[in-house]
Amino acid sequence: MAFGSEHRKTVIADFLARAGWAGADRQPLGQDASTRRYERLVLNGQTAMLMDAPRVEEDPCPPRADGATRLAMGWNARTRLAASRVDAFVALSEHLRGLGLSAPEVMAHDSNEGLALIEDFGASREVARVIEQGEANEVDLYRAAAETLAAAHLGGAPEHVSGRGETWPILDFDAMALEANVDLFPEWLPQFDGRMARVDASDPQWIAARDAMIEQTATFPSSFTLRDYHAENLIWLPAREGDARIGLLDFQDAVRGWDAWDMAMLVQDARRPVSQAASDAAITTYLDRTGRERAAFEARLAVVGTLNALRITGLFARLVKRDGKDRYLGFMARQQTLLARNLGHPAAADMAGYVRDVAPFIFEARS
C-alpha cells in the first residue's frame, strides 16, 4: 500500500483515533532505508512516534523453510530479514525492555496494517549526532554502547520472543543468509568501479574464498545479534541509568548470529570515523562485562568483520549504482579502508588474496 494513498491516510487516521491521538500535530521525519517512515506526533504537550510500515509483498523467512523455499520466496527469506514487520518490532522491543534496555515502549500497534505508536526518544539525540555536536565524549558514549550491547547478548539467544500479543522467531544467521549478503561484493562493486575485474558471484575463486570464511563462522559460539548496531541507530539518553542510557531503534531483524557482528557494526562504522580510543574502549568494556576471552573474540571480529565489510562495500555500490543514492559515495573510501584492515588479519588470508587479484585498489583506499 502506497504511503501517500488516500486509503492509507484513512487507515492511519483511524488508528490514531483508536489510540487516543486524533488531532495530534504530525511532523513527517521521512522514510528510512527500508520500507518504513516515521512521524513525530505532538498532542497536549506529549509526544510520540508513528511508525508507518505497510506490509510488503515479500514475506520474511518461515522458521522451518528449506533452501529451495527461501530462494523462491526472495531476498527477505534468503537473508532472514523481517521485512519491516511491526509484529517483529513489537515482540523484540518487549524482549529488550525485559532485559532493562531502552527499546521504545509500544503504546499501540496494528500489525495487520503495519502501524505502531511508539515512545519518542527525542530529536537529534542519535549517538553520531551527539558526538558531532560536542555534547558528549566519544569514548564515553562508545563505552556506554558496549555496556548495552553486552547486556543484550548476555540475555541469551531465544528461539522466539513474545510481548503485547505478538511472537516472533529468532532465526539463525546461516550460510545461505551470509552468502547472499557477501555476494553483493562481486555482484555490484564491478558495476560501481571500473577498476575492478569483471567478476561475479559465480566465480569459482570467489566461492572458494567466501565459503572458507563462512565455514569459520560455524565454529563460533552463537549469540543474539541485533544486526544493525551503529551510532546512527543508537540514541543517547543521559537522564537514564546504566544499560538504559542507550536507546535502541533498529532491531526487528535480530537473529542468532555472533557477538562480533554487532561489535563490527559498532566500531567499524563507514558512516563516521570511530577513533582508535573509542574502538578500544568499546571492545575492552564489552569483554570485561561479558567475561569473554580477548584473543578468541578478536579472531571472531576479524572473520565476521571481513564478511560484514564485504557486504557493506557491495551494498553501498548497489545503493549508488542501482538506486541513485549518491549519499553513499561519501562513505565508500572509509568503507574500503575498513575492508582492507579486516583483510589484514591472518584469518582472512584467502579472501585477501582474492581481493588483491580482482580489486587491488581496495588496499590503497584512505578514509
Side-chain angles (χ1 to χ4, degrees):
M1 185 186 304
F3 284 125
S5 71
E6 290 303 316
H7 178 64
R8 189 65 180 171
K9 291 177 182 178
T10 300
V11 168
I12 291 173
D14 291 345
F15 171 74
L16 293 178
R18 294 195 306 272
W21 283 75
D25 178 50
R26 297 167 56 181
Q27 305 165 7
L29 300 184
Q31 185 177 346
D32 73 3
S34 69
T35 55
R36 296 181 299 265
R37 71 177 187 92
Y38 294 90
E39 294 181 8
R40 174 166 284 111
L41 308 183
V42 182
L43 181 66
N44 299 327
Q46 302 297 312
T47 66
M49 297 293 293
L50 171 68
M51 178 193 293
D52 182 7
R55 288 282 184 98
V56 297
E57 292 183 6
E58 187 180 311
D59 288 328
C61 184
R64 286 173 291 279
D66 61 21
T69 299
R70 289 166 65 184
L71 286 171
M73 289 181 66
W75 180 258
N76 290 331
R78 287 174 65 196
T79 57
R80 290 186 158 163
L81 292 172
S84 298
R85 289 275 292 266
V86 164
D87 41 351
F89 184 93
V90 171
L92 278 152
S93 176
E94 291 299 301
H95 169 73
L96 294 167
R97 287 170 59 81
L99 298 177
L101 305 182
S102 290
E105 177 186 1
V106 178
M107 302 155 64
H109 74 284
D110 185 331
S111 293
N112 289 330
E113 294 292 356
L115 294 167
L117 191 67
I118 64 176
E119 178 182 4
D120 179 13
F121 285 148
S124 301
R125 302 302 301 166
E126 296 96 337
V127 166
R129 303 291 85 77
V130 170
I131 294 170
E132 286 175 4
Q133 295 158 12
E135 297 180 27
N137 178 269
E138 181 195 33
V139 171
D140 291 342
L141 288 182
Y142 273 76
R143 283 198 185 101
E147 291 279 7
T148 297
L149 183 61
H153 288 176
L154 290 171
E159 291 189 0
H160 64 271
V161 293
S162 300
R164 295 185 62 88
E166 305 290 1
T167 298
W168 192 259
I170 306 299
L171 304 180
D172 290 328
F173 199 17
D174 63 2
M176 176 178 282
L178 279 173
E179 288 171 10
N181 277 283
V182 179
D183 281 352
L184 293 172
F185 179 80
E187 288 172 353
W188 285 99
L189 194 60
Q191 299 183 55
F192 169 81
D193 195 321
R195 294 175 294 171
M196 184 170 176
R198 300 301 294 182
V199 297
D200 59 33
S202 66
D203 179 3
Q205 290 180 296
W206 163 255
I207 293 172
R210 179 201 69 192
D211 289 356
M213 296 209 76
I214 290 176
E215 286 170 9
Q216 291 186 70
T217 68
T219 69
F220 298 158
S222 63
S223 175
F224 179 77
T225 304
L226 290 163
R227 198 161 173 169
D228 211 13
Y229 194 82
H230 60 79
E232 290 191 349
N233 281 340
L234 306 178
I235 306 297
W236 180 229
L237 303 171
R240 302 189 185 188
E241 297 182 354
D243 301 331
R245 292 177 300 164
I246 296 292
L248 306 173
L249 291 181
D250 200 349
F251 46 73
Q252 66 281 338
D253 292 319
V255 288
R256 276 193 303 273
W258 312 274
D259 50 10
W261 183 278
D262 284 339
M263 185 59 73
M265 290 296 298
L266 179 64
V267 302
Q268 299 177 12
D269 191 341
R271 296 165 184 80
R272 67 170 308 274
V274 180
S275 71
Q276 191 63 50
S279 176
D280 291 345
I283 292 171
T284 297
T285 297
Y286 179 87
L287 294 175
D288 288 346
R289 174 74 176 269
T290 61
R292 294 172 186 174
E293 195 269 329
R294 180 176 289 272
F297 180 79
E298 289 181 346
R300 294 196 295 274
L301 186 58
V303 172
V304 173
T306 296
L307 292 169
N308 194 33
L310 289 164
R311 174 188 74 90
I312 296 173
T313 302
L315 176 61
F316 285 179
R318 186 177 72 179
L319 286 168
V320 174
K321 188 68 178 179
R322 187 192 72 181
D323 302 336
K325 296 185 177 181
D326 289 344
R327 169 177 181 254
Y328 291 90
L329 286 169
F331 303 144
M332 187 60 89
R334 185 180 299 125
Q335 179 56 36
Q336 291 180 359
T337 297
L338 293 169
L339 174 55
R341 290 175 185 170
N342 279 299
L343 289 170
H345 193 278
D350 289 345
M351 182 60 75
Y354 176 82
V355 174
R356 283 190 186 279
D357 285 344
V358 301
F361 60 88
I362 292 290
F363 296 92
E364 302 166 4
R366 294 292 183 269
S367 61

